[in-house]
Structures are given as structure tokens and as C-alpha cells.
Amino acid sequence: MHELIRSFACPDAAALADLLARAAASLSGTGYAGLVRVDPLRETAHAVHVHAPPGDPLRVRPWLAGSGVLKLLTVSDRPVRLPRDVAAGEPGFLAAPVPLAVREHLRLWVAGRDFGDHDEHLLSRLATAGGRALEAASGLDAAARLLRGVHAFGEGRPAASH
């Protein structure tokens, strides 16, 4: 039973989300990526993971907080692409929905340059794979909790004889 519980124990969800963000940054060729969580009523959004180069040279963190892009992500079910405009302080942004079977809404995003259709296609596929991985990790974690309960209630019972 201990071995089964250990095999079902999943990696830390925060570490998995961080790895997904770093993979998105690498895939897009930028130093910026992250995840945004939108509340179930789609009224608010907040960045839950931000991967940025040291010093945040494009100032993406403050841009995320003050640009209105988070509000835009609350109402969109499709990828969101914003062009880069250096003069206006717009870093260039692309976000794709992370499909999950649960009520929460996540968006995987990258920033730091102009993005095209190919970038959108790749990020959408990564978001889909990431959503499946996050769901699988959540399912394995739930299974491990159930097994711990089975094990706890099964202790002290006589072993089955053959």
C-alpha cells in the first residue's frame, strides 16, 4: 500500500505550473511567461505564476498589473494577442486558454515580442498539454489521498489468508 501511495503522489502543483511557464518562455523565445487564473464568475483575474528575466527589463510585471490585460482575459475564451508597441510600453503579449475540466479558468501567456499565428498555434497546443498534465496531477493527488484513507482504516485488520 505504501508503494502504491508513493507512486500516486504527484509533483507539487506550483512546481508543475512553474515548469509549464518556463517551457512557454522557452518555446516562444522570450524570457517572459506565466499563468493567469480567472475566477469562476469571470470577474477578476490575477497572475499566479510569472517567469521573467532578472530585473524585468521590459517591465512586464507592472504592465500586467496596470494595463487592463488581466480584465481582457476574464472575458475571452479564445487566445488573446496584443502587438508590441515600444513607445507605449506594450511588450507584445499572447495568451491561450488552458482547458481544464474543473471550474477554474487558467490562461498561459508569453510576452516580449510580436507574436503570429504560428506562435498562437504552438502556445495553444502547449496550454492543452499543460491542462491535461495539471488535471492528471490533481487526479493522482486525489487518488493518493483516498489510498491514505483506505490504508488508515485498513490498519489493524487481520491479513487475508489464502
PDB file of all heavy atoms in Angstrom, residues 70-107:
ATOM      1  N   LEU A  70      -5.386  41.871 -17.804  1.00  0.00           N
ATOM      2  CA  LEU A  70      -6.000  40.859 -16.945  1.00  0.00           C
ATOM      3  C   LEU A  70      -7.517  40.892 -17.069  1.00  0.00           C
ATOM      4  O   LEU A  70      -8.178  39.853 -17.113  1.00  0.00           O
ATOM      5  CB  LEU A  70      -5.564  41.032 -15.493  1.00  0.00           C
ATOM      6  CG  LEU A  70      -4.086  40.777 -15.216  1.00  0.00           C
ATOM      7  CD1 LEU A  70      -3.763  41.042 -13.749  1.00  0.00           C
ATOM      8  CD2 LEU A  70      -3.679  39.375 -15.614  1.00  0.00           C
ATOM      9  N   LYS A  71      -8.091  42.080 -17.157  1.00  0.00           N
ATOM     10  CA  LYS A  71      -9.543  42.206 -17.336  1.00  0.00           C
ATOM     11  C   LYS A  71      -9.953  41.624 -18.694  1.00  0.00           C
ATOM     12  O   LYS A  71     -10.985  40.963 -18.808  1.00  0.00           O
ATOM     13  CB  LYS A  71      -9.963  43.672 -17.209  1.00  0.00           C
ATOM     14  CG  LYS A  71     -11.441  43.867 -17.186  1.00  0.00           C
ATOM     15  CD  LYS A  71     -12.064  43.226 -15.953  1.00  0.00           C
ATOM     16  CE  LYS A  71     -13.549  43.498 -15.876  1.00  0.00           C
ATOM     17  NZ  LYS A  71     -14.204  42.704 -14.855  1.00  0.00           N
ATOM     18  N   LEU A  72      -9.152  41.860 -19.701  1.00  0.00           N
ATOM     19  CA  LEU A  72      -9.422  41.307 -21.024  1.00  0.00           C
ATOM     20  C   LEU A  72      -9.451  39.776 -20.979  1.00  0.00           C
ATOM     21  O   LEU A  72     -10.287  39.142 -21.627  1.00  0.00           O
ATOM     22  CB  LEU A  72      -8.367  41.798 -22.021  1.00  0.00           C
ATOM     23  CG  LEU A  72      -8.470  41.302 -23.454  1.00  0.00           C
ATOM     24  CD1 LEU A  72      -9.780  41.741 -24.091  1.00  0.00           C
ATOM     25  CD2 LEU A  72      -7.294  41.812 -24.269  1.00  0.00           C
ATOM     26  N   LEU A  73      -8.564  39.188 -20.189  1.00  0.00           N
ATOM     27  CA  LEU A  73      -8.504  37.730 -20.094  1.00  0.00           C
ATOM     28  C   LEU A  73      -9.716  37.148 -19.364  1.00  0.00           C
ATOM     29  O   LEU A  73     -10.030  35.973 -19.534  1.00  0.00           O
ATOM     30  CB  LEU A  73      -7.214  37.287 -19.411  1.00  0.00           C
ATOM     31  CG  LEU A  73      -5.936  37.578 -20.196  1.00  0.00           C
ATOM     32  CD1 LEU A  73      -4.721  37.164 -19.386  1.00  0.00           C
ATOM     33  CD2 LEU A  73      -5.946  36.900 -21.553  1.00  0.00           C
ATOM     34  N   THR A  74     -10.411  37.950 -18.567  1.00  0.00           N
ATOM     35  CA  THR A  74     -11.589  37.432 -17.863  1.00  0.00           C
ATOM     36  C   THR A  74     -12.752  37.193 -18.814  1.00  0.00           C
ATOM     37  O   THR A  74     -13.596  36.342 -18.549  1.00  0.00           O
ATOM     38  CB  THR A  74     -12.078  38.389 -16.743  1.00  0.00           C
ATOM     39  OG1 THR A  74     -12.513  39.608 -17.318  1.00  0.00           O
ATOM     40  CG2 THR A  74     -11.010  38.611 -15.702  1.00  0.00           C
ATOM     41  N   VAL A  75     -12.807  37.911 -19.912  1.00  0.00           N
ATOM     42  CA  VAL A  75     -13.950  37.807 -20.814  1.00  0.00           C
ATOM     43  C   VAL A  75     -13.675  37.010 -22.080  1.00  0.00           C
ATOM     44  O   VAL A  75     -14.602  36.710 -22.830  1.00  0.00           O
ATOM     45  CB  VAL A  75     -14.482  39.209 -21.203  1.00  0.00           C
ATOM     46  CG1 VAL A  75     -14.992  39.942 -19.973  1.00  0.00           C
ATOM     47  CG2 VAL A  75     -13.435  40.026 -21.931  1.00  0.00           C
ATOM     48  N   SER A  76     -12.451  36.638 -22.323  1.00  0.00           N
ATOM     49  CA  SER A  76     -12.111  35.958 -23.569  1.00  0.00           C
ATOM     50  C   SER A  76     -11.979  34.446 -23.378  1.00  0.00           C
ATOM     51  O   SER A  76     -11.282  33.984 -22.475  1.00  0.00           O
ATOM     52  CB  SER A  76     -10.795  36.519 -24.122  1.00  0.00           C
ATOM     53  OG  SER A  76     -10.462  35.837 -25.308  1.00  0.00           O
ATOM     54  N   ASP A  77     -12.638  33.707 -24.250  1.00  0.00           N
ATOM     55  CA  ASP A  77     -12.491  32.249 -24.273  1.00  0.00           C
ATOM     56  C   ASP A  77     -11.496  31.806 -25.335  1.00  0.00           C
ATOM     57  O   ASP A  77     -11.228  30.625 -25.482  1.00  0.00           O
ATOM     58  CB  ASP A  77     -13.834  31.577 -24.574  1.00  0.00           C
ATOM     59  CG  ASP A  77     -14.783  31.625 -23.393  1.00  0.00           C
ATOM     60  OD1 ASP A  77     -14.297  31.623 -22.251  1.00  0.00           O
ATOM     61  OD2 ASP A  77     -15.998  31.673 -23.634  1.00  0.00           O
ATOM     62  N   ARG A  78     -10.996  32.738 -26.088  1.00  0.00           N
ATOM     63  CA  ARG A  78     -10.089  32.445 -27.193  1.00  0.00           C
ATOM     64  C   ARG A  78      -8.699  33.013 -26.873  1.00  0.00           C
ATOM     65  O   ARG A  78      -8.555  33.796 -25.955  1.00  0.00           O
ATOM     66  CB  ARG A  78     -10.632  33.062 -28.469  1.00  0.00           C
ATOM     67  CG  ARG A  78     -12.066  32.592 -28.796  1.00  0.00           C
ATOM     68  CD  ARG A  78     -12.591  33.118 -30.110  1.00  0.00           C
ATOM     69  NE  ARG A  78     -11.717  32.975 -31.241  1.00  0.00           N
ATOM     70  CZ  ARG A  78     -11.504  31.834 -31.914  1.00  0.00           C
ATOM     71  NH1 ARG A  78     -12.096  30.742 -31.543  1.00  0.00           N
ATOM     72  NH2 ARG A  78     -10.689  31.806 -32.949  1.00  0.00           N
ATOM     73  N   PRO A  79      -7.710  32.639 -27.666  1.00  0.00           N
ATOM     74  CA  PRO A  79      -6.397  33.266 -27.469  1.00  0.00           C
ATOM     75  C   PRO A  79      -6.474  34.783 -27.620  1.00  0.00           C
ATOM     76  O   PRO A  79      -7.300  35.302 -28.375  1.00  0.00           O
ATOM     77  CB  PRO A  79      -5.545  32.649 -28.584  1.00  0.00           C
ATOM     78  CG  PRO A  79      -6.189  31.324 -28.846  1.00  0.00           C
ATOM     79  CD  PRO A  79      -7.669  31.579 -28.688  1.00  0.00           C
ATOM     80  N   VAL A  80      -5.641  35.471 -26.877  1.00  0.00           N
ATOM     81  CA  VAL A  80      -5.568  36.931 -26.912  1.00  0.00           C
ATOM     82  C   VAL A  80      -4.173  37.301 -27.374  1.00  0.00           C
ATOM     83  O   VAL A  80      -3.183  36.839 -26.803  1.00  0.00           O
ATOM     84  CB  VAL A  80      -5.852  37.538 -25.513  1.00  0.00           C
ATOM     85  CG1 VAL A  80      -5.558  39.029 -25.495  1.00  0.00           C
ATOM     86  CG2 VAL A  80      -7.279  37.253 -25.083  1.00  0.00           C
ATOM     87  N   ARG A  81      -4.106  38.129 -28.416  1.00  0.00           N
ATOM     88  CA  ARG A  81      -2.815  38.567 -28.954  1.00  0.00           C
ATOM     89  C   ARG A  81      -2.803  40.087 -29.018  1.00  0.00           C
ATOM     90  O   ARG A  81      -3.692  40.690 -29.611  1.00  0.00           O
ATOM     91  CB  ARG A  81      -2.613  37.987 -30.354  1.00  0.00           C
ATOM     92  CG  ARG A  81      -1.217  38.159 -30.864  1.00  0.00           C
ATOM     93  CD  ARG A  81      -0.992  37.673 -32.287  1.00  0.00           C
ATOM     94  NE  ARG A  81      -1.795  36.544 -32.713  1.00  0.00           N
ATOM     95  CZ  ARG A  81      -1.927  36.155 -33.986  1.00  0.00           C
ATOM     96  NH1 ARG A  81      -1.299  36.812 -34.935  1.00  0.00           N
ATOM     97  NH2 ARG A  81      -2.673  35.129 -34.300  1.00  0.00           N
ATOM     98  N   LEU A  82      -1.800  40.686 -28.382  1.00  0.00           N
ATOM     99  CA  LEU A  82      -1.644  42.136 -28.396  1.00  0.00           C
ATOM    100  C   LEU A  82      -0.287  42.468 -29.016  1.00  0.00           C
ATOM    101  O   LEU A  82       0.731  41.871 -28.643  1.00  0.00           O
ATOM    102  CB  LEU A  82      -1.716  42.702 -26.977  1.00  0.00           C
ATOM    103  CG  LEU A  82      -3.008  42.392 -26.203  1.00  0.00           C
ATOM    104  CD1 LEU A  82      -2.880  42.856 -24.762  1.00  0.00           C
ATOM    105  CD2 LEU A  82      -4.195  43.039 -26.883  1.00  0.00           C
ATOM    106  N   PRO A  83      -0.239  43.437 -29.944  1.00  0.00           N
ATOM    107  CA  PRO A  83       1.030  43.754 -30.612  1.00  0.00           C
ATOM    108  C   PRO A  83       1.989  44.498 -29.694  1.00  0.00           C
ATOM    109  O   PRO A  83       1.588  45.105 -28.708  1.00  0.00           O
ATOM    110  CB  PRO A  83       0.592  44.657 -31.768  1.00  0.00           C
ATOM    111  CG  PRO A  83      -0.681  45.271 -31.304  1.00  0.00           C
ATOM    112  CD  PRO A  83      -1.346  44.249 -30.416  1.00  0.00           C
ATOM    113  N   ARG A  84       3.236  44.421 -30.055  1.00  0.00           N
ATOM    114  CA  ARG A  84       4.266  45.149 -29.314  1.00  0.00           C
ATOM    115  C   ARG A  84       4.280  46.594 -29.783  1.00  0.00           C
ATOM    116  O   ARG A  84       4.220  46.877 -30.975  1.00  0.00           O
ATOM    117  CB  ARG A  84       5.630  44.500 -29.548  1.00  0.00           C
ATOM    118  CG  ARG A  84       6.712  45.146 -28.723  1.00  0.00           C
ATOM    119  CD  ARG A  84       8.004  44.388 -28.782  1.00  0.00           C
ATOM    120  NE  ARG A  84       8.896  44.950 -27.782  1.00  0.00           N
ATOM    121  CZ  ARG A  84      10.171  44.698 -27.718  1.00  0.00           C
ATOM    122  NH1 ARG A  84      10.727  43.862 -28.560  1.00  0.00           N
ATOM    123  NH2 ARG A  84      10.920  45.253 -26.785  1.00  0.00           N
ATOM    124  N   ASP A  85       4.354  47.521 -28.839  1.00  0.00           N
ATOM    125  CA  ASP A  85       4.468  48.945 -29.124  1.00  0.00           C
ATOM    126  C   ASP A  85       5.420  49.520 -28.085  1.00  0.00           C
ATOM    127  O   ASP A  85       5.018  49.858 -26.972  1.00  0.00           O
ATOM    128  CB  ASP A  85       3.096  49.623 -29.063  1.00  0.00           C
ATOM    129  CG  ASP A  85       3.147  51.095 -29.451  1.00  0.00           C
ATOM    130  OD1 ASP A  85       4.261  51.671 -29.529  1.00  0.00           O
ATOM    131  OD2 ASP A  85       2.064  51.669 -29.659  1.00  0.00           O
ATOM    132  N   VAL A  86       6.682  49.609 -28.456  1.00  0.00           N
ATOM    133  CA  VAL A  86       7.720  50.050 -27.524  1.00  0.00           C
ATOM    134  C   VAL A  86       7.427  51.448 -27.003  1.00  0.00           C
ATOM    135  O   VAL A  86       7.589  51.715 -25.809  1.00  0.00           O
ATOM    136  CB  VAL A  86       9.113  49.979 -28.193  1.00  0.00           C
ATOM    137  CG1 VAL A  86      10.193  50.496 -27.262  1.00  0.00           C
ATOM    138  CG2 VAL A  86       9.425  48.553 -28.618  1.00  0.00           C
ATOM    139  N   ALA A  87       6.977  52.351 -27.870  1.00  0.00           N
ATOM    140  CA  ALA A  87       6.720  53.734 -27.463  1.00  0.00           C
ATOM    141  C   ALA A  87       5.641  53.811 -26.389  1.00  0.00           C
ATOM    142  O   ALA A  87       5.710  54.644 -25.490  1.00  0.00           O
ATOM    143  CB  ALA A  87       6.321  54.572 -28.676  1.00  0.00           C
ATOM    144  N   ALA A  88       4.645  52.940 -26.467  1.00  0.00           N
ATOM    145  CA  ALA A  88       3.549  52.953 -25.492  1.00  0.00           C
ATOM    146  C   ALA A  88       3.816  52.026 -24.306  1.00  0.00           C
ATOM    147  O   ALA A  88       2.984  51.921 -23.409  1.00  0.00           O
ATOM    148  CB  ALA A  88       2.242  52.540 -26.169  1.00  0.00           C
ATOM    149  N   GLY A  89       4.967  51.354 -24.311  1.00  0.00           N
ATOM    150  CA  GLY A  89       5.292  50.436 -23.222  1.00  0.00           C
ATOM    151  C   GLY A  89       4.577  49.103 -23.303  1.00  0.00           C
ATOM    152  O   GLY A  89       4.487  48.389 -22.310  1.00  0.00           O
ATOM    153  N   GLU A  90       4.065  48.768 -24.487  1.00  0.00           N
ATOM    154  CA  GLU A  90       3.381  47.487 -24.697  1.00  0.00           C
ATOM    155  C   GLU A  90       4.424  46.450 -25.118  1.00  0.00           C
ATOM    156  O   GLU A  90       5.067  46.598 -26.151  1.00  0.00           O
ATOM    157  CB  GLU A  90       2.309  47.619 -25.793  1.00  0.00           C
ATOM    158  CG  GLU A  90       1.262  48.666 -25.522  1.00  0.00           C
ATOM    159  CD  GLU A  90       0.273  48.250 -24.458  1.00  0.00           C
ATOM    160  OE1 GLU A  90       0.013  47.044 -24.331  1.00  0.00           O
ATOM    161  OE2 GLU A  90      -0.222  49.144 -23.743  1.00  0.00           O
ATOM    162  N   PRO A  91       4.598  45.371 -24.333  1.00  0.00           N
ATOM    163  CA  PRO A  91       5.672  44.426 -24.606  1.00  0.00           C
ATOM    164  C   PRO A  91       5.382  43.427 -25.716  1.00  0.00           C
ATOM    165  O   PRO A  91       6.272  42.732 -26.171  1.00  0.00           O
ATOM    166  CB  PRO A  91       5.821  43.690 -23.273  1.00  0.00           C
ATOM    167  CG  PRO A  91       4.460  43.729 -22.683  1.00  0.00           C
ATOM    168  CD  PRO A  91       3.887  45.060 -23.097  1.00  0.00           C
ATOM    169  N   GLY A  92       4.140  43.344 -26.192  1.00  0.00           N
ATOM    170  CA  GLY A  92       3.720  42.247 -27.065  1.00  0.00           C
ATOM    171  C   GLY A  92       3.290  41.107 -26.166  1.00  0.00           C
ATOM    172  O   GLY A  92       3.976  40.774 -25.193  1.00  0.00           O
ATOM    173  N   PHE A  93       2.130  40.534 -26.438  1.00  0.00           N
ATOM    174  CA  PHE A  93       1.531  39.592 -25.492  1.00  0.00           C
ATOM    175  C   PHE A  93       0.685  38.581 -26.242  1.00  0.00           C
ATOM    176  O   PHE A  93       0.009  38.916 -27.211  1.00  0.00           O
ATOM    177  CB  PHE A  93       0.636  40.384 -24.520  1.00  0.00           C
ATOM    178  CG  PHE A  93      -0.013  39.581 -23.447  1.00  0.00           C
ATOM    179  CD1 PHE A  93       0.669  39.243 -22.291  1.00  0.00           C
ATOM    180  CD2 PHE A  93      -1.329  39.170 -23.586  1.00  0.00           C
ATOM    181  CE1 PHE A  93       0.053  38.517 -21.291  1.00  0.00           C
ATOM    182  CE2 PHE A  93      -1.965  38.451 -22.586  1.00  0.00           C
ATOM    183  CZ  PHE A  93      -1.267  38.120 -21.433  1.00  0.00           C
ATOM    184  N   LEU A  94       0.740  37.342 -25.763  1.00  0.00           N
ATOM    185  CA  LEU A  94      -0.079  36.272 -26.308  1.00  0.00           C
ATOM    186  C   LEU A  94      -0.505  35.385 -25.158  1.00  0.00           C
ATOM    187  O   LEU A  94       0.325  34.982 -24.338  1.00  0.00           O
ATOM    188  CB  LEU A  94       0.716  35.455 -27.335  1.00  0.00           C
ATOM    189  CG  LEU A  94       0.047  34.215 -27.915  1.00  0.00           C
ATOM    190  CD1 LEU A  94      -1.215  34.565 -28.705  1.00  0.00           C
ATOM    191  CD2 LEU A  94       1.038  33.464 -28.806  1.00  0.00           C
ATOM    192  N   ALA A  95      -1.807  35.107 -25.060  1.00  0.00           N
ATOM    193  CA  ALA A  95      -2.328  34.228 -24.012  1.00  0.00           C
ATOM    194  C   ALA A  95      -3.270  33.215 -24.645  1.00  0.00           C
ATOM    195  O   ALA A  95      -4.024  33.547 -25.563  1.00  0.00           O
ATOM    196  CB  ALA A  95      -3.068  35.032 -22.945  1.00  0.00           C
ATOM    197  N   ALA A  96      -3.219  31.987 -24.131  1.00  0.00           N
ATOM    198  CA  ALA A  96      -4.094  30.922 -24.609  1.00  0.00           C
ATOM    199  C   ALA A  96      -4.802  30.289 -23.421  1.00  0.00           C
ATOM    200  O   ALA A  96      -4.197  30.118 -22.354  1.00  0.00           O
ATOM    201  CB  ALA A  96      -3.283  29.863 -25.363  1.00  0.00           C
ATOM    202  N   PRO A  97      -6.078  29.948 -23.592  1.00  0.00           N
ATOM    203  CA  PRO A  97      -6.790  29.258 -22.512  1.00  0.00           C
ATOM    204  C   PRO A  97      -6.167  27.893 -22.236  1.00  0.00           C
ATOM    205  O   PRO A  97      -5.743  27.197 -23.149  1.00  0.00           O
ATOM    206  CB  PRO A  97      -8.212  29.092 -23.040  1.00  0.00           C
ATOM    207  CG  PRO A  97      -8.310  29.938 -24.253  1.00  0.00           C
ATOM    208  CD  PRO A  97      -6.925  30.177 -24.750  1.00  0.00           C
ATOM    209  N   VAL A  98      -6.118  27.532 -20.967  1.00  0.00           N
ATOM    210  CA  VAL A  98      -5.669  26.192 -20.559  1.00  0.00           C
ATOM    211  C   VAL A  98      -6.942  25.396 -20.291  1.00  0.00           C
ATOM    212  O   VAL A  98      -7.651  25.677 -19.329  1.00  0.00           O
ATOM    213  CB  VAL A  98      -4.797  26.263 -19.286  1.00  0.00           C
ATOM    214  CG1 VAL A  98      -4.408  24.860 -18.820  1.00  0.00           C
ATOM    215  CG2 VAL A  98      -3.557  27.107 -19.536  1.00  0.00           C
ATOM    216  N   PRO A  99      -7.255  24.440 -21.181  1.00  0.00           N
ATOM    217  CA  PRO A  99      -8.509  23.703 -20.987  1.00  0.00           C
ATOM    218  C   PRO A  99      -8.435  22.784 -19.767  1.00  0.00           C
ATOM    219  O   PRO A  99      -7.536  21.963 -19.654  1.00  0.00           O
ATOM    220  CB  PRO A  99      -8.664  22.898 -22.276  1.00  0.00           C
ATOM    221  CG  PRO A  99      -7.345  22.916 -22.940  1.00  0.00           C
ATOM    222  CD  PRO A  99      -6.544  24.036 -22.361  1.00  0.00           C
ATOM    223  N   LEU A 100      -9.367  22.987 -18.852  1.00  0.00           N
ATOM    224  CA  LEU A 100      -9.461  22.171 -17.651  1.00  0.00           C
ATOM    225  C   LEU A 100     -10.908  21.715 -17.493  1.00  0.00           C
ATOM    226  O   LEU A 100     -11.828  22.440 -17.862  1.00  0.00           O
ATOM    227  CB  LEU A 100      -9.042  22.972 -16.411  1.00  0.00           C
ATOM    228  CG  LEU A 100      -7.603  23.445 -16.337  1.00  0.00           C
ATOM    229  CD1 LEU A 100      -7.425  24.415 -15.181  1.00  0.00           C
ATOM    230  CD2 LEU A 100      -6.672  22.263 -16.163  1.00  0.00           C
ATOM    231  N   ALA A 101     -11.098  20.544 -16.925  1.00  0.00           N
ATOM    232  CA  ALA A 101     -12.444  20.019 -16.708  1.00  0.00           C
ATOM    233  C   ALA A 101     -13.040  20.537 -15.401  1.00  0.00           C
ATOM    234  O   ALA A 101     -14.132  20.162 -15.041  1.00  0.00           O
ATOM    235  CB  ALA A 101     -12.413  18.500 -16.709  1.00  0.00           C
ATOM    236  N   VAL A 102     -12.316  21.377 -14.703  1.00  0.00           N
ATOM    237  CA  VAL A 102     -12.804  21.935 -13.441  1.00  0.00           C
ATOM    238  C   VAL A 102     -13.310  23.355 -13.677  1.00  0.00           C
ATOM    239  O   VAL A 102     -13.181  23.890 -14.766  1.00  0.00           O
ATOM    240  CB  VAL A 102     -11.697  21.924 -12.365  1.00  0.00           C
ATOM    241  CG1 VAL A 102     -11.301  20.506 -12.025  1.00  0.00           C
ATOM    242  CG2 VAL A 102     -10.489  22.717 -12.804  1.00  0.00           C
ATOM    243  N   ARG A 103     -13.844  23.965 -12.643  1.00  0.00           N
ATOM    244  CA  ARG A 103     -14.450  25.287 -12.787  1.00  0.00           C
ATOM    245  C   ARG A 103     -13.457  26.413 -12.987  1.00  0.00           C
ATOM    246  O   ARG A 103     -13.803  27.458 -13.514  1.00  0.00           O
ATOM    247  CB  ARG A 103     -15.293  25.604 -11.554  1.00  0.00           C
ATOM    248  CG  ARG A 103     -16.516  24.779 -11.453  1.00  0.00           C
ATOM    249  CD  ARG A 103     -17.321  25.114 -10.249  1.00  0.00           C
ATOM    250  NE  ARG A 103     -17.044  26.451  -9.740  1.00  0.00           N
ATOM    251  CZ  ARG A 103     -17.602  26.955  -8.684  1.00  0.00           C
ATOM    252  NH1 ARG A 103     -18.455  26.266  -8.000  1.00  0.00           N
ATOM    253  NH2 ARG A 103     -17.309  28.168  -8.260  1.00  0.00           N
ATOM    254  N   GLU A 104     -12.225  26.242 -12.579  1.00  0.00           N
ATOM    255  CA  GLU A 104     -11.288  27.361 -12.685  1.00  0.00           C
ATOM    256  C   GLU A 104     -10.865  27.572 -14.134  1.00  0.00           C
ATOM    257  O   GLU A 104     -10.912  26.659 -14.959  1.00  0.00           O
ATOM    258  CB  GLU A 104     -10.088  27.173 -11.776  1.00  0.00           C
ATOM    259  CG  GLU A 104      -9.079  26.175 -12.242  1.00  0.00           C
ATOM    260  CD  GLU A 104      -7.916  26.072 -11.267  1.00  0.00           C
ATOM    261  OE1 GLU A 104      -7.994  26.599 -10.147  1.00  0.00           O
ATOM    262  OE2 GLU A 104      -6.938  25.452 -11.652  1.00  0.00           O
ATOM    263  N   HIS A 105     -10.504  28.792 -14.429  1.00  0.00           N
ATOM    264  CA  HIS A 105     -10.073  29.168 -15.768  1.00  0.00           C
ATOM    265  C   HIS A 105      -8.636  29.661 -15.674  1.00  0.00           C
ATOM    266  O   HIS A 105      -8.349  30.598 -14.938  1.00  0.00           O
ATOM    267  CB  HIS A 105     -10.966  30.279 -16.328  1.00  0.00           C
ATOM    268  CG  HIS A 105     -12.412  29.934 -16.327  1.00  0.00           C
ATOM    269  ND1 HIS A 105     -12.987  29.141 -17.298  1.00  0.00           N
ATOM    270  CD2 HIS A 105     -13.407  30.256 -15.473  1.00  0.00           C
ATOM    271  CE1 HIS A 105     -14.270  28.996 -17.039  1.00  0.00           C
ATOM    272  NE2 HIS A 105     -14.550  29.661 -15.936  1.00  0.00           N
ATOM    273  N   LEU A 106      -7.756  29.034 -16.423  1.00  0.00           N
ATOM    274  CA  LEU A 106      -6.359  29.452 -16.468  1.00  0.00           C
ATOM    275  C   LEU A 106      -6.019  29.921 -17.872  1.00  0.00           C
ATOM    276  O   LEU A 106      -6.581  29.431 -18.851  1.00  0.00           O
ATOM    277  CB  LEU A 106      -5.425  28.289 -16.111  1.00  0.00           C
ATOM    278  CG  LEU A 106      -5.341  27.845 -14.673  1.00  0.00           C
ATOM    279  CD1 LEU A 106      -4.429  26.626 -14.547  1.00  0.00           C
ATOM    280  CD2 LEU A 106      -4.827  28.965 -13.794  1.00  0.00           C
ATOM    281  N   ARG A 107      -5.079  30.847 -17.949  1.00  0.00           N
ATOM    282  CA  ARG A 107      -4.540  31.309 -19.219  1.00  0.00           C
ATOM    283  C   ARG A 107      -3.023  31.203 -19.136  1.00  0.00           C
ATOM    284  O   ARG A 107      -2.414  31.678 -18.175  1.00  0.00           O
ATOM    285  CB  ARG A 107      -4.923  32.762 -19.502  1.00  0.00           C
ATOM    286  CG  ARG A 107      -6.412  33.063 -19.449  1.00  0.00           C
ATOM    287  CD  ARG A 107      -7.151  32.433 -20.609  1.00  0.00           C
ATOM    288  NE  ARG A 107      -8.558  32.783 -20.590  1.00  0.00           N
ATOM    289  CZ  ARG A 107      -9.501  32.017 -20.068  1.00  0.00           C
ATOM    290  NH1 ARG A 107      -9.189  30.889 -19.481  1.00  0.00           N
ATOM    291  NH2 ARG A 107     -10.765  32.386 -20.123  1.00  0.00           N
TER     292      ARG A 107
END
